[in-house]
Amino acid sequence: MSLKDSQWWRDAVIYQVYPRSYADANGDGVGDIAGIRARLGHLRDLGVDAIWMSPWYPSPMADAGYDVADFRDIDPAFGTLTEAEALIEEAHAAGIRMIVDIVPNHISSEHPWFKAALASPDAPERDYFWFRPGRGDTGEQMPTDWRGEFGGTTWTRTPDGSWYLHLFTPEQPDLNWDHPDVRAEFESILRFWFDRGVDGIRIDSAALLLKDPALPEVLEDSPHPFHDLDGVHEVYRAWRRVSDSYGEDRALIGEVWMPEVERFANYLRPDELHAAFNFDFLGCAWDPRLMRDCVDRTLHAHAAVGAPATWVLSNHDVTRHVTRYGREDTTFSFDNNLDGTPVDLELGTRRARAAALLSLSLPGATYIYQGEELGLWENENIPPEEFQDPMWGRRGHSRDGCRVPMPWTGDEAPFGFTTATPWLPQPAEWKDRTAQAQTGDPNSMLELYRSAIALRRTESLAEFSWLDLDPSVLAFCRGRNFGCVVNMSGAPIALPAHQSVLLTSGPLDGDRLPPDTAVWLRLS
Ligand code: NOJ
């Protein structure tokens, strides 16, 4: 796809860089921009269209950078704004677009606004947040019993006796989106990054921004007090006006966790966001009927609003899919903690290979989470005392296992990631998963991703339709003669009539497709 293609976001392959864990150039054990620049070639060779950069702004790192203290600069651990600008330029020169991550629901408690708000009850900045008196005779009880997104309570009391709201950690006070200054500030932040040439914005916790000011409790049959309030759409309409003023090649991509697809699709109406992550697909079991329903649901909901679907298997918040697909229960949900349940990594890897061909041939954009192209699994052996994720103390699950630094070269940790001790330990078994070990090995995950992304570019992946094979098989056609078949049954199946095999996720068994294997075909 050329940089000139204005609606590139409709069918792009977008690679999530988690800057702490991509590559460390300054030898402190934490990844940085210089490391990303040094290893940009990996992304060029992989063939991705865009990078989504997880937050790289100054931050006390109470939530790995999702607690932003200044949206217009770079954390010294990652580098400087000048280096960020150089990376944007180098990525563009390599034909790769750049998406930055904006976190509008909350900011860091170290942000100047919050510091000013805490300094005096009369500070005008108080109104940028949700400060409220407590309940009870002396205001000793929290204003509501809302549960936080990481579990636990959502209010913290300040020395002057009032409480402030934080849907995540106390270091992430929620902003008051009813205040015009908050809206103006974020529109200005969007412009700051668009002016630096970025091609898109990933929007964190996009459905949470507005709160019912009456602060009702969460009750089953009543409207939710902070999830998906109708007024949030006005915010994104305003953001769309900002992005459109730079051209339709600038994209807004929402992180919208929403079980109801119709409500989800509301965020993708033509004057709102361009795209949103498909968590329905990410959480779906490795099961042909459920997957087929999920694909249908997805395509139907997106078609209704004219938005492109997205296909996401992993990200920095969820258990890596090699691990998920190797478990008996292959679903993902934060409410169903499967940590430590038995995992068959060989099976998980086989399925992850098949899932790569599936997610790269469905209609829409495909997201790759750093390391998935190397077949990395969740590191479930991090000693709890090394956990850094604030979710750990609140939900008994740590997201650190999917955030472990990348293995690049060599036979032992730190595998070329750093010259120091990596900020999280890498499994010794990753010696076979380094980019170096996989390069040139036709059976490797890395070469599978490279071939699939290259083929995806040359194939005209047009109109989607299901092929009616066995119900335990997921099979579809794109355009006249491109076919994808994923065998989710426990037994080999016969391939449909075809002229040639374009790519397989694993060896065929004569003319049969083994279980947990996918194939791309030139159909007859
Ligand atoms: C979603 C982000 O992906 C996650 O990492 C973060 O902890 C929360 N939003 C809060 O910002």
Side-chain angles (χ1 to χ4, degrees):
M1 193 190 318
S2 93
L3 274 175
K4 286 187 212 79
D5 185 350
S6 62
Q7 300 211 349
W8 61 276
W9 37 270
R10 287 196 172 270
D11 62 357
V13 176
I14 300 174
Y15 184 98
Q16 179 186 359
V17 170
Y18 196 67
R20 305 179 74 72
S21 300
Y22 188 75
D24 170 26
N26 70 357
D28 62 358
V30 175
D32 45 43
I33 296 176
I36 300 166
R37 290 170 70 191
R39 294 210 179 266
L40 201 56
H42 174 73
L43 302 182
R44 193 198 45 229
D45 296 347
L46 189 57
V48 302
D49 299 300
I51 292 171
W52 146 31
M53 184 69 63
S54 276
W56 52 3
Y57 317 105
S59 164
M61 304 289 167
D63 184 18
Y66 283 91
D67 48 319
V68 179
D70 178 0
F71 277 103
R72 296 181 181 83
D73 206 349
I74 298 293
D75 194 278
F78 298 140
T80 62
L81 188 56
T82 311
E83 286 178 271
E85 287 167 343
L87 171 60
I88 295 169
E89 207 169 292
E90 287 161 11
H92 284 167
I96 300 172
R97 296 174 192 265
M98 280 290 292
I99 297 165
V100 294
D101 203 325
I102 297 292
V103 188
N105 181 67
H106 45 268
I107 56 178
S108 164
S109 51
E110 293 298 312
H111 188 285
W113 277 6
F114 194 71
K115 289 212 266 190
L118 270 195
S120 153
D122 303 321
E125 286 85 355
R126 279 241 159 176
D127 295 339
Y128 296 167
F129 301 92
W130 290 89
F131 280 89
R132 287 291 183 280
R135 294 175 294 179
D137 293 343
T138 56
E140 76 288 359
Q141 292 166 31
M142 302 189 181
T144 69
D145 293 331
W146 296 354
R147 304 298 295 170
E149 298 292 301
F150 291 162
T153 57
T154 55
W155 297 89
T156 291
R157 201 165 195 194
T158 63
D160 63 58
S162 54
W163 298 79
Y164 70 88
L165 174 69
H166 49 84
L167 293 183
F168 294 89
T169 71
E171 293 81 17
Q172 295 165 294
D174 278 53
L175 287 165
N176 171 15
W177 275 86
D178 295 328
H179 200 298
D181 290 2
V182 171
R183 295 190 184 217
E185 169 67 358
F186 273 84
E187 288 174 30
S188 150
I189 292 166
L190 296 189
R191 286 199 189 89
F192 178 89
W193 286 103
F194 283 141
D195 285 341
R196 272 160 189 74
V198 309
D199 306 278
I201 306 282
R202 179 262 187 193
I203 305 160
D204 188 77
S205 305
L208 298 180
L209 271 46
L210 292 206
K211 280 90 194 171
D212 181 342
L215 303 185
E217 289 303 332
V218 177
L219 297 172
E220 218 157 89
D221 295 320
S222 310
H224 200 281
F226 58 82
H227 195 233
D228 188 35
L229 268 62
D230 288 338
V232 77
H233 296 287
E234 206 33 68
V235 173
Y236 297 128
R237 287 194 190 101
W239 285 29
R240 181 63 177 253
R241 288 192 289 275
V242 173
S243 86
D244 280 351
S245 73
Y246 287 82
E248 62 172 3
D249 60 343
R250 311 292 172 116
L252 301 171
I253 302 158
E255 188 211 17
V256 182
W257 291 86
M258 187 96 53
E260 306 85 19
V261 278
E262 294 77 21
R263 303 279 313 179
F264 172 85
N266 281 343
Y267 289 76
L268 301 174
R269 288 175 290 198
D271 58 347
E272 298 193 38
L273 308 183
H274 299 75
F277 301 110
N278 188 346
F279 295 120
D280 194 24
F281 181 69
L282 184 153
C284 185
W286 187 255
D287 173 287
R289 288 168 199 82
L290 295 175
M291 277 278 188
R292 184 173 168 145
D293 284 354
C294 170
V295 170
D296 278 336
R297 218 171 23 245
T298 299
L299 295 179
H300 181 77
H302 289 76
V305 285
T310 68
W311 308 102
V312 187
L313 293 166
S314 280
N315 67 27
H316 65 294
D317 291 331
V318 308
T319 307
R320 282 191 178 271
H321 62 277
V322 165
T323 298
R324 286 189 340 249
Y325 289 156
R327 288 177 176 154
E328 192 176 326
D329 180 343
T330 51
T331 60
F332 179 83
S333 146
F334 286 112
D335 297 327
N336 181 22
N337 187 343
L338 298 169
D339 294 352
T341 57
V343 181
D344 177 341
L345 286 178
E346 212 183 292
L347 176 65
T349 302
R350 194 157 61 241
R351 289 175 171 170
R353 293 176 64 89
L357 294 198
L358 172 65
S359 69
L360 284 163
S361 59
L362 286 166
T366 304
Y367 286 77
I368 297 174
Y369 172 49
Q370 156 180 315
E372 102 178 41
E373 80 284 14
L374 301 179
L376 302 188
W377 57 84
E378 186 84 1
N379 184 0
E380 295 200 273
N381 295 317
I382 303 176
E385 60 278 11
E386 290 187 37
F387 283 151
Q388 305 209 9
D389 180 15
M391 191 183 267
W392 167 242
R394 295 172 172 80
R395 272 194 186 238
H397 166 75
S398 168
R399 297 168 295 177
D400 289 323
C402 67
R403 299 175 174 180
V404 174
M406 290 276 277
W408 293 104
T409 55
D411 287 334
E412 51 188 46
F415 301 116
F417 167 73
T418 178
T419 50
T421 304
W423 72 281
L424 285 173
Q426 300 156 303
E429 298 81 6
W430 282 4
K431 68 178 190 313
D432 302 328
R433 305 265 164 159
T434 64
Q436 185 183 46
Q438 297 193 46
T439 295
D441 172 358
N443 299 320
S444 70
M445 187 71 92
L446 179 57
E447 293 298 348
L448 178 73
Y449 268 83
R450 285 179 178 161
S451 306
I453 294 170
L455 252 173
R456 173 189 165 98
R457 274 175 194 274
T458 53
E459 287 294 317
S460 72
L461 295 178
E463 212 54 32
F464 170 94
S465 55
W466 291 110
L467 290 172
D468 271 322
L469 300 187
D470 185 294
S472 58
V473 166
L474 217 59
F476 55 87
C477 182
R478 298 289 310 273
R480 228 169 27 85
N481 60 11
F482 176 94
C484 174
V485 184
V486 190
N487 184 0
M488 294 185 170
S489 75
I493 54 136
L495 287 177
H498 58 277
Q499 297 174 42
S500 60
V501 170
L502 301 172
L503 190 61
T504 65
S505 69
L508 296 180
D509 169 5
D511 215 17
R512 297 188 321 157
L513 184 66
D516 299 310
T517 306
V519 63
W520 284 358
L521 298 170
R522 171 77 59 240
L523 299 169
S524 338

